[in-house]
Amino acid sequence: MDREKQSRQVMSGVSDKHDGMKALPRKKFKKPSTSQFDLGELVRGVESGSRLHLGKAITLLESTNPEHKKRGQELLNALLPKTGNSIRIGITGVPGAGKSTFIETFGTMLTELGHRVAVLAIDPSSSRTGGSILGDKTRMEELARNPKAFIRPSPTAGTLGGVHKKTRETMLLCEAAGYDVILVETVGVGQSETLVRGMVDMFLLLVLTGAGDELQGMKKGILELADAMIVHKADRDNLPLAKKTVREYKQMLHFLQPATEGWTTRPLAVSSIEGTGMQEIWDMVKEFEQAVQESGYWNTRRQEQTRDWFHSMITDELLGRFYGDPERKQQVKDMEQRILNDRLTVSQAVTELFK
């Protein structure tokens, strides 16, 4: 056989059509069915303090599935009589202030005092993908293993309104599960602080020594929301500077309106590494609770927060329905183009949309 014929020759294949290996069935992804969420079982599990059932209940509330959302609200309604029996504490601070370290040390101390602590750590989501790292359990390893503690990282899902709804409802579930101290950690400094201030009883601000003049503008805005200033990392060589910072904040706070009626905001030096100042913070929290309850502002604030939550939910629902209509979506898109082409003003477009 010459080389040309040899190059065109096709070798015969294996005669059998099967290689003898049994083909594995393809796995198909299935969304959780509503039958996987037994409401009666979830209610009993949450009321008994089961962290497993609490996690499932929160997952049900966070679901975007219409049927899950409906059943989640039924679950929350069944548990409402068990809610409201905790002190809710918001914790914020600039990146690097050591919020997670502080929460782990403070939360561990509270569990040793006999309290049950729930940590709702709001994680920033990507505005492009909606994904988030949710790394707070990694940063709070000891507290995450503590049977008297529950940590739930909550992604912002790119919208601060989502924080308000999900965190408020998760907080209520944690209270129904018997957690008497709720710690809400914010993503940092910004608009989310105002939202968290609107869902907690007491607001703590963690600051560092020697932060520099560039943060003064931020400090004043946040200071007006804070019920206590925690000068963090007050240990070792940094202790003298931390004490000096406490004195400076004491002077600064005299010129600001108190964040809570009947209470004067105080600064306190704390070290999470050495554990110093933690008992003093808790004593201050209890003093705050007593003072605000005696003034009658405790219930007033909670009622105001619930009313604000109601109105924010109305806004969210209106936006969802408006942009959820396919015809309306196309109409908005067409008007955007007309506006960009200088054929229509923004006010005219809005008026036309709402005719």
Side-chain angles (χ1 to χ4, degrees):
M1 182 184 296
D2 57 29
R3 287 185 179 179
E4 187 178 351
K5 286 184 178 180
Q6 192 174 12
S7 65
R8 293 199 302 266
Q9 186 178 8
V10 179
M11 297 291 291
S12 58
V14 179
S15 58
D16 195 345
K17 294 182 180 179
H18 200 281
D19 59 4
M21 297 293 290
K22 186 177 180 180
L24 294 174
R26 288 188 177 184
K27 291 184 178 180
K28 293 183 178 179
F29 174 75
K30 290 184 178 180
K31 291 182 179 180
S33 64
T34 53
S35 61
Q36 287 182 256
F37 296 107
D38 185 322
L39 288 187
E41 182 186 339
L42 280 180
V43 169
R44 290 189 295 273
V46 170
E47 289 180 338
S48 70
S50 165
R51 293 196 293 182
L52 175 64
H53 286 88
L54 177 57
K56 286 183 177 181
I58 295 171
T59 299
L60 179 61
L61 275 175
E62 290 181 345
S63 175
T64 56
N65 181 298
E67 184 62 26
H68 289 178
K69 287 171 72 174
K70 179 184 174 183
R71 301 195 69 181
Q73 292 307 309
E74 291 173 2
L75 168 70
L76 190 59
N77 191 56
L79 292 169
L80 272 180
K82 299 284 185 179
T83 66
N85 300 315
S86 76
I87 181 162
R88 306 161 181 173
I89 304 172
I91 299 170
T92 189
V94 296
K99 295 187 290 292
S100 296
T101 307
F102 167 77
I103 289 172
E104 178 161 55
T105 305
F106 186 53
T108 300
M109 183 204 72
L110 290 175
T111 61
E112 291 170 356
L113 292 174
H115 297 281
R116 298 187 71 209
V117 180
V119 180
L120 309 182
I122 301 167
D123 235 19
S125 299
S126 166
S127 59
R128 295 177 63 187
T129 65
S132 58
I133 299 172
L134 302 178
D136 292 276
K137 282 195 173 182
T138 305
R139 294 194 295 267
M140 305 179 199
E141 289 183 10
E142 184 180 343
L143 193 61
R145 293 194 297 267
N146 193 317
K148 292 184 178 180
F150 177 79
I151 300 176
R152 180 74 178 199
S154 299
T156 61
T159 59
L160 291 170
V163 171
H164 203 273
K165 177 182 183 295
K166 292 178 182 177
T167 308
R168 278 296 299 256
E169 293 183 343
T170 300
M171 188 189 303
L172 293 175
L173 287 178
C174 290
E175 288 177 343
Y179 291 93
D180 60 328
V181 181
I182 312 290
L183 304 178
V184 184
E185 179 193 0
T186 71
V187 296
V189 176
Q191 190 182 348
S192 61
E193 273 57 42
T194 306
L195 286 170
V196 173
R197 164 76 275 186
M199 64 177 76
V200 298
D201 304 310
M202 190 175 189
F203 201 55
L204 307 184
L205 170 62
L206 266 65
V207 297
L208 296 171
T209 57
D213 294 335
E214 69 274 12
L215 294 177
Q216 290 305 316
M218 176 279 297
K219 286 177 184 175
K220 185 179 184 302
I222 298 298
L223 272 174
E224 293 171 347
L225 302 175
D227 295 306
M229 303 283 301
I230 309 299
V231 181
H232 202 209
K233 303 183 181 180
D235 45 52
R236 301 170 187 167
D237 296 339
N238 199 41
L239 183 57
L241 186 56
K243 290 181 178 179
K244 179 174 179 286
T245 304
V246 167
R247 291 193 296 269
E248 290 173 350
Y249 275 118
K250 277 183 180 178
Q251 294 176 348
M252 189 187 302
L253 289 167
H254 281 301
F255 300 99
L256 295 175
Q257 183 76 19
T260 299
E261 188 178 313
W263 176 257
T264 302
T265 302
R266 306 177 197 171
L268 186 68
V270 168
S271 169
S272 294
I273 294 175
E274 297 179 355
T276 55
M278 296 294 165
Q279 183 61 53
E280 287 80 357
I281 292 176
W282 183 240
D283 291 342
M284 182 168 58
V285 169
K286 298 305 291 179
E287 186 183 344
F288 170 88
E289 183 179 16
Q290 182 179 350
V292 180
Q293 283 188 344
E294 286 177 357
S295 71
Y297 189 60
W298 184 273
N299 289 331
T300 301
R301 169 176 272 172
R302 286 202 172 184
Q303 287 175 351
E304 288 175 351
Q305 290 175 346
T306 302
R307 184 189 61 207
D308 291 344
W309 181 22
F310 170 60
H311 286 286
S312 72
M313 287 291 293
I314 291 174
T315 304
D316 291 343
E317 184 68 20
L318 287 171
L319 285 170
R321 291 193 181 191
F322 183 86
Y323 288 107
D325 181 357
E327 189 176 330
R328 183 76 67 186
K329 270 186 179 179
Q330 185 59 45
Q331 192 179 8
V332 170
K333 190 176 178 181
D334 293 340
M335 286 195 173
E336 279 179 359
Q337 200 59 48
R338 290 169 64 189
I339 291 168
L340 294 175
N341 291 335
D342 297 326
R343 292 166 52 200
L344 194 68
T345 68
V346 172
S347 294
Q348 286 174 328
V350 173
T351 302
E352 194 170 328
L353 279 171
F354 284 93
K355 274 185 180 178

